[in-house]
Amino acid sequence: MTKPQAIAETHIRAVNPSGESRETIIKLTKPVQDPRGGFSCTVTLPDRVEPITIYGEDSLQALFLTMKFAGTRMHDMKDKGWAFYYPDTDEDLPLSVYFSPREASES
């Protein structure tokens, strides 16, 4: 199976709750049609080595749900003690630069 094509990515420095720091990439792939129906996208996040696959009814929904999942997961990670910085700096990376603010019902 062919690897999905990356359509967007950013480099960040992530520090986990135990203080380990590493440069990493948040990467989103192009929606692809699933043989079982619908579409899927993958997202790579700092707390996992393997990408996570998100499914939708069509390509737009798959893309939207993948971005929403990524934002929710990043906010959750920050709540659990992770910190995110611009690469090679100690400048805080506000999640709102890339993801919608968390809604009250999602906290």
Side-chain angles (χ1 to χ4, degrees):
M1 183 175 188
T2 307
K3 247 181 150 175
Q5 175 187 1
I7 58 170
E9 66 182 40
T10 189
H11 295 253
I12 67 167
R13 184 167 64 87
V15 180
N16 69 20
S18 63
E20 297 171 30
S21 175
R22 68 182 176 105
E23 300 289 323
T24 189
I25 300 172
I26 298 171
K27 186 185 305 185
L28 183 72
T29 64
K30 176 181 178 179
V32 293
Q33 194 158 18
D34 190 83
R36 298 167 292 184
F39 282 76
S40 67
C41 293
T42 64
V43 61
T44 304
L45 296 171
D47 65 334
R48 295 186 48 138
V49 175
E50 295 297 319
I52 300 162
T53 303
I54 307 294
Y55 296 90
E57 290 294 319
D58 56 36
S59 59
L60 181 62
Q61 185 185 46
L63 187 61
F64 173 78
L65 292 174
T66 302
M67 282 297 298
K68 184 171 180 160
F69 173 84
T72 300
R73 182 73 169 256
M74 294 291 287
H75 282 289
D76 287 344
M77 290 169 63
K78 193 158 192 158
D79 290 347
K80 292 177 181 170
W82 285 74
F84 306 107
Y85 302 94
Y86 290 100
D88 301 319
T89 73
D90 288 327
E91 185 180 347
D92 185 51
L93 176 82
L95 295 179
S96 62
V97 170
Y98 294 98
F99 305 108
S100 299
R102 181 180 290 191
E103 296 176 21
S105 64
E106 295 178 333
S107 358

